[in-house]
Amino acid sequence: QVQLQESGPGLVKPSETLSLICTVSGGSMSSHYWSWIRQPAGKGLEWLGRMYITGSTNYNPSLKSRVTMSVDTSKNHFSLKLSSVTAADTAVYYCARSFTEASLDDWGQGTLVTVSS
Amino acid sequence: DIQMTQSPSSLSASVGDRVTITCQASQDIRHYLNWYQQKPGKAPKLLIYDASNLETGVPSRFRGSGSGTDFTFTISSLQPEDIATYYCQQYDDLLTFGGGTKVEIK
């Protein structure tokens, strides 16, 4: 059974870059899509983007200029960088694995990131 | 961008009631729609894919239907463990979620 675990700083200053890692255990990273999704407190889900194991990416157009995703299969890591953050980027951030481009099949437990000085 | 509009945003029903949630896409998304359940403090869980297909292990009281722009999610007999927020998600063009429907017990 695959497990996904998000990790990274819980507090980021405005204008800085948010960096998170998703560590994958119990399964291979190959032949899967890897996504990041976020959820502000009390609000809905927002898909940030995804990466396929080949390195190809798709980003949410509303965030495209600020988002970078990468994968390191040697470390079983999938990472997110979100630049120039503001308070509006405060949210629980989830990573997820997909077998296809269609759905988000397995999720991490999420990690709260607060943007504040 | 494709926008997904869910309604209602919240509902309260009794155990055993039939619960219906609708999801409308801003353009034709064929059958490219999934439904997720999110319990408080937990990550979402995929329940239904391709508009009407039940994920393995999901109780048969959950049902999805629709195509094009209009979709419906139904719980045929609400159970206490169904208390959650439900989201639709389209995948015709990247991924977009609906705003969610919070289901509570009356």
Side-chain angles (χ1 to χ4, degrees), chain A residues 20-47:
Chain A
L20 295 175
I21 287 174
C22 178
T23 301
V24 181
S25 59
S28 169
M29 294 197 72
S30 61
S31 303
H32 293 297
Y33 294 84
W34 301 92
S35 286
W36 287 97
I37 305 97
R38 70 181 180 181
Q39 184 173 38
K43 297 189 177 180
L45 301 163
E46 180 180 30
W47 178 76

PDB file of all heavy atoms in Angstrom, chain A residues 20-47:
ATOM      1  N   LEU A  20       7.888  22.405  -0.618  1.00  0.00           N
ATOM      2  CA  LEU A  20       7.382  21.196   0.022  1.00  0.00           C
ATOM      3  C   LEU A  20       7.893  19.959  -0.708  1.00  0.00           C
ATOM      4  O   LEU A  20       8.155  20.001  -1.908  1.00  0.00           O
ATOM      5  CB  LEU A  20       5.858  21.167   0.022  1.00  0.00           C
ATOM      6  CG  LEU A  20       5.141  22.239   0.835  1.00  0.00           C
ATOM      7  CD1 LEU A  20       3.632  22.138   0.620  1.00  0.00           C
ATOM      8  CD2 LEU A  20       5.470  22.119   2.313  1.00  0.00           C
ATOM      9  N   ILE A  21       8.008  18.875   0.053  1.00  0.00           N
ATOM     10  CA  ILE A  21       8.394  17.589  -0.518  1.00  0.00           C
ATOM     11  C   ILE A  21       7.332  16.567  -0.179  1.00  0.00           C
ATOM     12  O   ILE A  21       6.777  16.560   0.929  1.00  0.00           O
ATOM     13  CB  ILE A  21       9.765  17.136   0.032  1.00  0.00           C
ATOM     14  CG1 ILE A  21      10.880  17.972  -0.579  1.00  0.00           C
ATOM     15  CG2 ILE A  21      10.015  15.657  -0.252  1.00  0.00           C
ATOM     16  CD1 ILE A  21      12.236  17.684   0.013  1.00  0.00           C
ATOM     17  N   CYS A  22       7.062  15.709  -1.120  1.00  0.00           N
ATOM     18  CA  CYS A  22       6.177  14.565  -0.918  1.00  0.00           C
ATOM     19  C   CYS A  22       7.041  13.310  -1.005  1.00  0.00           C
ATOM     20  O   CYS A  22       7.636  13.042  -2.056  1.00  0.00           O
ATOM     21  CB  CYS A  22       5.095  14.556  -1.987  1.00  0.00           C
ATOM     22  SG  CYS A  22       3.954  13.152  -1.914  1.00  0.00           S
ATOM     23  N   THR A  23       7.122  12.580   0.090  1.00  0.00           N
ATOM     24  CA  THR A  23       7.905  11.356   0.115  1.00  0.00           C
ATOM     25  C   THR A  23       6.983  10.162  -0.103  1.00  0.00           C
ATOM     26  O   THR A  23       5.964  10.025   0.581  1.00  0.00           O
ATOM     27  CB  THR A  23       8.646  11.215   1.450  1.00  0.00           C
ATOM     28  OG1 THR A  23       9.506  12.335   1.629  1.00  0.00           O
ATOM     29  CG2 THR A  23       9.481   9.933   1.474  1.00  0.00           C
ATOM     30  N   VAL A  24       7.364   9.331  -1.048  1.00  0.00           N
ATOM     31  CA  VAL A  24       6.548   8.186  -1.438  1.00  0.00           C
ATOM     32  C   VAL A  24       7.167   6.901  -0.888  1.00  0.00           C
ATOM     33  O   VAL A  24       8.366   6.651  -1.090  1.00  0.00           O
ATOM     34  CB  VAL A  24       6.453   8.108  -2.972  1.00  0.00           C
ATOM     35  CG1 VAL A  24       5.582   6.923  -3.399  1.00  0.00           C
ATOM     36  CG2 VAL A  24       5.897   9.408  -3.535  1.00  0.00           C
ATOM     37  N   SER A  25       6.387   6.108  -0.207  1.00  0.00           N
ATOM     38  CA  SER A  25       6.867   4.828   0.303  1.00  0.00           C
ATOM     39  C   SER A  25       5.868   3.733  -0.027  1.00  0.00           C
ATOM     40  O   SER A  25       4.679   3.985  -0.194  1.00  0.00           O
ATOM     41  CB  SER A  25       7.089   4.905   1.812  1.00  0.00           C
ATOM     42  OG  SER A  25       5.892   5.249   2.478  1.00  0.00           O
ATOM     43  N   GLY A  26       6.377   2.524  -0.149  1.00  0.00           N
ATOM     44  CA  GLY A  26       5.501   1.391  -0.418  1.00  0.00           C
ATOM     45  C   GLY A  26       5.058   1.270  -1.853  1.00  0.00           C
ATOM     46  O   GLY A  26       4.116   0.524  -2.151  1.00  0.00           O
ATOM     47  N   GLY A  27       5.720   1.990  -2.744  1.00  0.00           N
ATOM     48  CA  GLY A  27       5.326   1.905  -4.143  1.00  0.00           C
ATOM     49  C   GLY A  27       6.330   2.611  -5.024  1.00  0.00           C
ATOM     50  O   GLY A  27       7.119   3.434  -4.555  1.00  0.00           O
ATOM     51  N   SER A  28       6.266   2.292  -6.294  1.00  0.00           N
ATOM     52  CA  SER A  28       7.176   2.898  -7.263  1.00  0.00           C
ATOM     53  C   SER A  28       6.638   4.240  -7.732  1.00  0.00           C
ATOM     54  O   SER A  28       5.430   4.462  -7.775  1.00  0.00           O
ATOM     55  CB  SER A  28       7.333   1.955  -8.456  1.00  0.00           C
ATOM     56  OG  SER A  28       8.004   2.604  -9.509  1.00  0.00           O
ATOM     57  N   MET A  29       7.553   5.128  -8.119  1.00  0.00           N
ATOM     58  CA  MET A  29       7.132   6.417  -8.658  1.00  0.00           C
ATOM     59  C   MET A  29       6.915   6.345 -10.173  1.00  0.00           C
ATOM     60  O   MET A  29       6.373   7.291 -10.755  1.00  0.00           O
ATOM     61  CB  MET A  29       8.160   7.493  -8.338  1.00  0.00           C
ATOM     62  CG  MET A  29       8.277   7.802  -6.863  1.00  0.00           C
ATOM     63  SD  MET A  29       9.091   9.370  -6.552  1.00  0.00           S
ATOM     64  CE  MET A  29       7.829  10.532  -7.063  1.00  0.00           C
ATOM     65  N   SER A  30       7.346   5.273 -10.777  1.00  0.00           N
ATOM     66  CA  SER A  30       7.247   5.183 -12.234  1.00  0.00           C
ATOM     67  C   SER A  30       5.806   4.942 -12.666  1.00  0.00           C
ATOM     68  O   SER A  30       4.991   4.415 -11.909  1.00  0.00           O
ATOM     69  CB  SER A  30       8.141   4.061 -12.753  1.00  0.00           C
ATOM     70  OG  SER A  30       7.736   2.834 -12.204  1.00  0.00           O
ATOM     71  N   SER A  31       5.512   5.347 -13.889  1.00  0.00           N
ATOM     72  CA  SER A  31       4.198   5.138 -14.512  1.00  0.00           C
ATOM     73  C   SER A  31       3.057   5.778 -13.741  1.00  0.00           C
ATOM     74  O   SER A  31       1.930   5.277 -13.736  1.00  0.00           O
ATOM     75  CB  SER A  31       3.905   3.638 -14.675  1.00  0.00           C
ATOM     76  OG  SER A  31       4.908   3.010 -15.415  1.00  0.00           O
ATOM     77  N   HIS A  32       3.316   6.861 -13.064  1.00  0.00           N
ATOM     78  CA  HIS A  32       2.273   7.570 -12.331  1.00  0.00           C
ATOM     79  C   HIS A  32       2.382   9.066 -12.572  1.00  0.00           C
ATOM     80  O   HIS A  32       3.432   9.585 -12.951  1.00  0.00           O
ATOM     81  CB  HIS A  32       2.372   7.309 -10.832  1.00  0.00           C
ATOM     82  CG  HIS A  32       2.068   5.900 -10.437  1.00  0.00           C
ATOM     83  ND1 HIS A  32       0.843   5.323 -10.628  1.00  0.00           N
ATOM     84  CD2 HIS A  32       2.845   4.966  -9.850  1.00  0.00           C
ATOM     85  CE1 HIS A  32       0.876   4.080 -10.192  1.00  0.00           C
ATOM     86  NE2 HIS A  32       2.079   3.828  -9.709  1.00  0.00           N
ATOM     87  N   TYR A  33       1.265   9.738 -12.314  1.00  0.00           N
ATOM     88  CA  TYR A  33       1.228  11.192 -12.290  1.00  0.00           C
ATOM     89  C   TYR A  33       1.251  11.631 -10.830  1.00  0.00           C
ATOM     90  O   TYR A  33       0.679  10.962  -9.971  1.00  0.00           O
ATOM     91  CB  TYR A  33      -0.047  11.716 -12.967  1.00  0.00           C
ATOM     92  CG  TYR A  33      -0.128  11.430 -14.440  1.00  0.00           C
ATOM     93  CD1 TYR A  33      -0.599  10.202 -14.905  1.00  0.00           C
ATOM     94  CD2 TYR A  33       0.257  12.379 -15.385  1.00  0.00           C
ATOM     95  CE1 TYR A  33      -0.676   9.927 -16.262  1.00  0.00           C
ATOM     96  CE2 TYR A  33       0.185  12.117 -16.738  1.00  0.00           C
ATOM     97  CZ  TYR A  33      -0.283  10.882 -17.169  1.00  0.00           C
ATOM     98  OH  TYR A  33      -0.351  10.615 -18.512  1.00  0.00           O
ATOM     99  N   TRP A  34       1.906  12.772 -10.600  1.00  0.00           N
ATOM    100  CA  TRP A  34       2.045  13.271  -9.232  1.00  0.00           C
ATOM    101  C   TRP A  34       1.544  14.705  -9.194  1.00  0.00           C
ATOM    102  O   TRP A  34       2.023  15.551  -9.949  1.00  0.00           O
ATOM    103  CB  TRP A  34       3.510  13.171  -8.802  1.00  0.00           C
ATOM    104  CG  TRP A  34       3.987  11.760  -8.861  1.00  0.00           C
ATOM    105  CD1 TRP A  34       4.599  11.137  -9.908  1.00  0.00           C
ATOM    106  CD2 TRP A  34       3.819  10.762  -7.856  1.00  0.00           C
ATOM    107  NE1 TRP A  34       4.825   9.816  -9.613  1.00  0.00           N
ATOM    108  CE2 TRP A  34       4.362   9.558  -8.367  1.00  0.00           C
ATOM    109  CE3 TRP A  34       3.273  10.760  -6.564  1.00  0.00           C
ATOM    110  CZ2 TRP A  34       4.376   8.368  -7.634  1.00  0.00           C
ATOM    111  CZ3 TRP A  34       3.275   9.585  -5.835  1.00  0.00           C
ATOM    112  CH2 TRP A  34       3.833   8.410  -6.367  1.00  0.00           C
ATOM    113  N   SER A  35       0.601  14.944  -8.302  1.00  0.00           N
ATOM    114  CA  SER A  35      -0.071  16.242  -8.249  1.00  0.00           C
ATOM    115  C   SER A  35       0.084  16.896  -6.878  1.00  0.00           C
ATOM    116  O   SER A  35       0.320  16.219  -5.874  1.00  0.00           O
ATOM    117  CB  SER A  35      -1.586  16.095  -8.516  1.00  0.00           C
ATOM    118  OG  SER A  35      -1.873  15.838  -9.856  1.00  0.00           O
ATOM    119  N   TRP A  36      -0.077  18.218  -6.882  1.00  0.00           N
ATOM    120  CA  TRP A  36      -0.229  18.983  -5.637  1.00  0.00           C
ATOM    121  C   TRP A  36      -1.599  19.653  -5.668  1.00  0.00           C
ATOM    122  O   TRP A  36      -2.027  20.181  -6.695  1.00  0.00           O
ATOM    123  CB  TRP A  36       0.861  20.027  -5.497  1.00  0.00           C
ATOM    124  CG  TRP A  36       2.208  19.461  -5.163  1.00  0.00           C
ATOM    125  CD1 TRP A  36       3.217  19.177  -6.038  1.00  0.00           C
ATOM    126  CD2 TRP A  36       2.688  19.095  -3.866  1.00  0.00           C
ATOM    127  NE1 TRP A  36       4.292  18.651  -5.373  1.00  0.00           N
ATOM    128  CE2 TRP A  36       4.010  18.593  -4.033  1.00  0.00           C
ATOM    129  CE3 TRP A  36       2.154  19.148  -2.571  1.00  0.00           C
ATOM    130  CZ2 TRP A  36       4.786  18.152  -2.967  1.00  0.00           C
ATOM    131  CZ3 TRP A  36       2.920  18.705  -1.503  1.00  0.00           C
ATOM    132  CH2 TRP A  36       4.220  18.213  -1.703  1.00  0.00           C
ATOM    133  N   ILE A  37      -2.249  19.627  -4.512  1.00  0.00           N
ATOM    134  CA  ILE A  37      -3.567  20.234  -4.330  1.00  0.00           C
ATOM    135  C   ILE A  37      -3.504  20.995  -3.009  1.00  0.00           C
ATOM    136  O   ILE A  37      -2.826  20.570  -2.066  1.00  0.00           O
ATOM    137  CB  ILE A  37      -4.671  19.143  -4.216  1.00  0.00           C
ATOM    138  CG1 ILE A  37      -4.640  18.214  -5.422  1.00  0.00           C
ATOM    139  CG2 ILE A  37      -6.037  19.775  -4.044  1.00  0.00           C
ATOM    140  CD1 ILE A  37      -3.870  16.917  -5.183  1.00  0.00           C
ATOM    141  N   ARG A  38      -4.217  22.103  -2.933  1.00  0.00           N
ATOM    142  CA  ARG A  38      -4.240  22.828  -1.666  1.00  0.00           C
ATOM    143  C   ARG A  38      -5.664  23.173  -1.257  1.00  0.00           C
ATOM    144  O   ARG A  38      -6.581  23.168  -2.088  1.00  0.00           O
ATOM    145  CB  ARG A  38      -3.389  24.081  -1.736  1.00  0.00           C
ATOM    146  CG  ARG A  38      -3.940  25.185  -2.607  1.00  0.00           C
ATOM    147  CD  ARG A  38      -2.989  26.382  -2.605  1.00  0.00           C
ATOM    148  NE  ARG A  38      -3.500  27.471  -3.436  1.00  0.00           N
ATOM    149  CZ  ARG A  38      -2.837  28.617  -3.620  1.00  0.00           C
ATOM    150  NH1 ARG A  38      -1.662  28.811  -3.045  1.00  0.00           N
ATOM    151  NH2 ARG A  38      -3.372  29.562  -4.379  1.00  0.00           N
ATOM    152  N   GLN A  39      -5.799  23.478   0.034  1.00  0.00           N
ATOM    153  CA  GLN A  39      -7.123  23.761   0.582  1.00  0.00           C
ATOM    154  C   GLN A  39      -6.996  24.769   1.714  1.00  0.00           C
ATOM    155  O   GLN A  39      -6.576  24.428   2.824  1.00  0.00           O
ATOM    156  CB  GLN A  39      -7.771  22.472   1.089  1.00  0.00           C
ATOM    157  CG  GLN A  39      -9.183  22.642   1.591  1.00  0.00           C
ATOM    158  CD  GLN A  39      -9.836  21.307   1.916  1.00  0.00           C
ATOM    159  OE1 GLN A  39      -9.200  20.387   2.434  1.00  0.00           O
ATOM    160  NE2 GLN A  39     -11.118  21.192   1.611  1.00  0.00           N
ATOM    161  N   PRO A  40      -7.372  26.022   1.467  1.00  0.00           N
ATOM    162  CA  PRO A  40      -7.411  26.999   2.571  1.00  0.00           C
ATOM    163  C   PRO A  40      -8.413  26.551   3.623  1.00  0.00           C
ATOM    164  O   PRO A  40      -9.383  25.843   3.319  1.00  0.00           O
ATOM    165  CB  PRO A  40      -7.879  28.278   1.878  1.00  0.00           C
ATOM    166  CG  PRO A  40      -7.561  28.071   0.428  1.00  0.00           C
ATOM    167  CD  PRO A  40      -7.739  26.614   0.191  1.00  0.00           C
ATOM    168  N   ALA A  41      -8.181  26.973   4.840  1.00  0.00           N
ATOM    169  CA  ALA A  41      -9.039  26.557   5.956  1.00  0.00           C
ATOM    170  C   ALA A  41     -10.500  26.882   5.661  1.00  0.00           C
ATOM    171  O   ALA A  41     -10.840  28.010   5.312  1.00  0.00           O
ATOM    172  CB  ALA A  41      -8.595  27.241   7.243  1.00  0.00           C
ATOM    173  N   GLY A  42     -11.339  25.871   5.783  1.00  0.00           N
ATOM    174  CA  GLY A  42     -12.768  26.067   5.588  1.00  0.00           C
ATOM    175  C   GLY A  42     -13.205  26.273   4.156  1.00  0.00           C
ATOM    176  O   GLY A  42     -14.378  26.595   3.906  1.00  0.00           O
ATOM    177  N   LYS A  43     -12.295  26.078   3.204  1.00  0.00           N
ATOM    178  CA  LYS A  43     -12.634  26.319   1.801  1.00  0.00           C
ATOM    179  C   LYS A  43     -12.432  25.050   0.965  1.00  0.00           C
ATOM    180  O   LYS A  43     -12.145  23.986   1.491  1.00  0.00           O
ATOM    181  CB  LYS A  43     -11.801  27.478   1.260  1.00  0.00           C
ATOM    182  CG  LYS A  43     -12.090  28.801   1.966  1.00  0.00           C
ATOM    183  CD  LYS A  43     -11.418  29.959   1.265  1.00  0.00           C
ATOM    184  CE  LYS A  43     -11.786  31.268   1.960  1.00  0.00           C
ATOM    185  NZ  LYS A  43     -11.143  32.441   1.290  1.00  0.00           N
ATOM    186  N   GLY A  44     -12.617  25.204  -0.325  1.00  0.00           N
ATOM    187  CA  GLY A  44     -12.570  24.064  -1.223  1.00  0.00           C
ATOM    188  C   GLY A  44     -11.168  23.716  -1.696  1.00  0.00           C
ATOM    189  O   GLY A  44     -10.176  24.297  -1.277  1.00  0.00           O
ATOM    190  N   LEU A  45     -11.125  22.743  -2.594  1.00  0.00           N
ATOM    191  CA  LEU A  45      -9.876  22.204  -3.110  1.00  0.00           C
ATOM    192  C   LEU A  45      -9.439  22.935  -4.366  1.00  0.00           C
ATOM    193  O   LEU A  45     -10.266  23.257  -5.231  1.00  0.00           O
ATOM    194  CB  LEU A  45     -10.055  20.712  -3.429  1.00  0.00           C
ATOM    195  CG  LEU A  45     -10.469  19.828  -2.254  1.00  0.00           C
ATOM    196  CD1 LEU A  45     -11.017  18.500  -2.751  1.00  0.00           C
ATOM    197  CD2 LEU A  45      -9.292  19.612  -1.323  1.00  0.00           C
ATOM    198  N   GLU A  46      -8.146  23.173  -4.474  1.00  0.00           N
ATOM    199  CA  GLU A  46      -7.575  23.785  -5.675  1.00  0.00           C
ATOM    200  C   GLU A  46      -6.406  22.923  -6.154  1.00  0.00           C
ATOM    201  O   GLU A  46      -5.441  22.706  -5.430  1.00  0.00           O
ATOM    202  CB  GLU A  46      -7.089  25.207  -5.395  1.00  0.00           C
ATOM    203  CG  GLU A  46      -6.497  25.881  -6.622  1.00  0.00           C
ATOM    204  CD  GLU A  46      -6.003  27.297  -6.348  1.00  0.00           C
ATOM    205  OE1 GLU A  46      -5.588  27.591  -5.206  1.00  0.00           O
ATOM    206  OE2 GLU A  46      -5.998  28.114  -7.282  1.00  0.00           O
ATOM    207  N   TRP A  47      -6.525  22.443  -7.379  1.00  0.00           N
ATOM    208  CA  TRP A  47      -5.442  21.661  -7.982  1.00  0.00           C
ATOM    209  C   TRP A  47      -4.364  22.618  -8.472  1.00  0.00           C
ATOM    210  O   TRP A  47      -4.652  23.578  -9.193  1.00  0.00           O
ATOM    211  CB  TRP A  47      -6.007  20.846  -9.140  1.00  0.00           C
ATOM    212  CG  TRP A  47      -5.035  20.017  -9.904  1.00  0.00           C
ATOM    213  CD1 TRP A  47      -4.486  18.835  -9.522  1.00  0.00           C
ATOM    214  CD2 TRP A  47      -4.518  20.300 -11.211  1.00  0.00           C
ATOM    215  NE1 TRP A  47      -3.661  18.355 -10.504  1.00  0.00           N
ATOM    216  CE2 TRP A  47      -3.661  19.239 -11.550  1.00  0.00           C
ATOM    217  CE3 TRP A  47      -4.689  21.338 -12.123  1.00  0.00           C
ATOM    218  CZ2 TRP A  47      -2.980  19.181 -12.766  1.00  0.00           C
ATOM    219  CZ3 TRP A  47      -4.020  21.280 -13.333  1.00  0.00           C
ATOM    220  CH2 TRP A  47      -3.170  20.219 -13.644  1.00  0.00           C
TER     221      TRP A  47
END
